[in-house]
Amino acid sequence: LKVGADAGDAELARFTWIAVTSQCGAQALALALRGAGPLGPQVAAVGPRTAAALREAGIAVALEAPAHDRTG
């Protein structure tokens, strides 16, 4: 996935969802999306810390997994 100021909307339009599995992943996504404009795909977070990191970065979380351990 190529995102950022030089990426076209078509690149993000290919996806319906982006699943983020960690706080580091949330930070990386936020950096990659910097300057890309509104996010087209919906974003899912694996747990509350990941969801919080996404929200802090200004990324809306459409779905948060209720369980975020090895069994969930």
Side-chain angles (χ1 to χ4, degrees), residues 23-33:
Q23 290 173 288
C24 290
Q27 293 166 353
L29 180 62
L31 283 173
L33 291 174

Side-chain angles (χ1 to χ4, degrees), residues 2 5-7 11 17-18 20-22 25-28 34 36 40 52-53 55 59 61 70:
K2 179 181 176 184
D6 59 341
E11 185 72 18
W17 285 90
I18 296 174
V20 183
T21 60
S22 69
Q27 293 166 353
R34 190 175 43 203
R55 290 183 185 110
I59 299 172
V61 177
R70 284 188 251 167

Side-chain angles (χ1 to χ4, degrees), residues 12 15-20 29 39-45 59-63:
L12 289 175
F15 301 95
T16 305
W17 285 90
I18 296 174
V20 183
L29 180 62
L39 185 61
Q42 295 191 57
V43 177
I59 299 172
V61 177
L63 179 66

